[in-house]
Amino acid sequence: REPICESIGLTRQMPSVFLFLLLGFNFRVEAAVVSPPVWPEKFHAILYQNRSDDLAIVDLYYDYTVGRNLNLIRSMHDDDAGSQGELWDVEFNNKSSFYYHPRAKTCTKMEFPVGILKPNWLENATYLGIEYTQGYHCHVWTKADGFITYWDEVSTRKPVKWIFGSGMEEYVMKWIVNETLPDSQWEIPNYCFKKWGPEREENGHNLSNLSTQRFFTP
């Protein structure tokens, strides 16, 4: 009896070619159904930030369950002469943000058209494929015409890094789900309610850029 491949007019080499094409098709299908990652509703991330060679360690506390987000930014220049020290960037879902320096007791309040990022803020992002970076195989996403590019690890879906179009880079050193600060650490200090200061450079960080990610709320 002739092999089935010959009975339908295929050569003996055709099955391997067919298998290769089938595997390629399956890969494209799997890639097409990859969904953007969704953040947990509460987490603590330790980030390494590079903003035009101004390096910083950032403790990001995200708590969507109560509508608040905190970036505690410790710059390499915090101990320089004239520095105001570490910067607390506290954001609320009522569209208010406070940027203050506990050491200098200076504060700026800003209002935004949206609240904090939703857990699914990457919804409708453009998928760029898989890339090996920082020692991980990552899905790569971009949103808002390249304003931000985001890498999440293929097997765990944990973020590895994100880079803004401005060039600011943030690398995820630790990702701890369900960890947050006690309520007392979220309280805005009294000196923030005395007088609003103008938008200005704070330790080399322009306040108008610190919370641009909030505009990605779907």
Side-chain angles (χ1 to χ4, degrees):
R1 181 178 297 177
E2 294 181 349
I4 189 170
C5 63
E6 294 180 2
S7 68
I8 61 175
L10 299 176
T11 67
R12 293 181 182 276
Q13 288 76 27
M14 287 301 291
S16 60
V17 175
F18 179 76
L19 179 60
F20 175 81
L21 294 174
L22 182 61
L23 289 174
F25 174 78
N26 285 341
F27 175 78
R28 289 193 296 272
V29 170
E30 289 176 4
V33 299
V34 175
S35 299
V38 177
W39 275 3
E41 292 192 340
K42 183 187 299 183
F43 67 83
H44 171 208
I46 301 176
L47 311 175
Y48 172 81
Q49 182 187 90
N50 184 359
R51 183 193 294 267
S52 301
D53 289 331
D54 179 10
L55 307 181
I57 299 296
V58 180
D59 280 279
L60 166 60
Y61 291 94
Y62 175 84
D63 192 347
Y64 192 74
T65 63
V66 289
R68 58 193 183 188
N69 186 75
L70 165 65
N71 291 280
L72 171 52
I73 304 172
R74 299 180 177 92
S75 168
M76 64 186 299
H77 298 293
D78 282 351
D79 294 327
D80 293 354
S83 170
Q84 299 187 75
E86 65 187 28
L87 173 64
W88 288 59
D89 161 15
V90 185
E91 305 162 359
F92 296 100
N93 228 11
N94 66 2
K95 306 177 184 181
S96 297
S97 290
F98 297 84
Y99 304 89
Y100 60 91
H101 298 270
R103 188 174 76 195
K105 289 184 170 54
T106 57
C107 182
T108 299
K109 179 187 178 184
M110 294 184 69
E111 297 288 339
F112 290 87
V114 296
I116 67 172
L117 288 176
K118 295 180 180 179
N120 66 339
W121 65 275
L122 276 167
E123 189 175 59
N124 299 319
T126 300
Y127 183 58
L128 301 181
I130 294 176
E131 178 181 314
Y132 186 76
T133 182
Q134 315 306 135
Y136 299 98
H137 289 94
C138 297
H139 296 297
V140 189
W141 309 85
T142 188
K143 192 163 186 181
D145 295 323
F147 187 87
I148 189 170
T149 305
Y150 184 101
W151 289 256
D152 68 285
E153 204 267 321
V154 168
S155 62
T156 65
R157 305 309 306 270
K158 293 191 298 185
V160 171
K161 66 179 178 181
W162 52 83
I163 298 178
F164 288 92
S166 63
M168 187 186 77
E169 306 170 344
E170 292 194 304
Y171 299 85
V172 181
M173 311 302 288
K174 293 282 188 181
W175 182 260
I176 310 162
V177 177
N178 290 326
E179 182 170 281
T180 189
L181 291 173
D183 288 342
S184 60
Q185 296 293 302
W186 295 89
E187 293 179 1
I188 304 302
N190 291 333
Y191 54 81
C192 283
F193 300 98
K194 292 181 180 179
K195 180 180 179 181
W196 308 130
E199 179 183 321
R200 60 186 184 277
E201 293 285 332
E202 297 279 1
N203 272 1
H205 299 291
N206 188 283
L207 293 183
S208 64
N209 293 328
L210 283 174
S211 290
T212 48
Q213 61 180 356
R214 298 177 69 177
F215 293 96
F216 290 102
T217 302

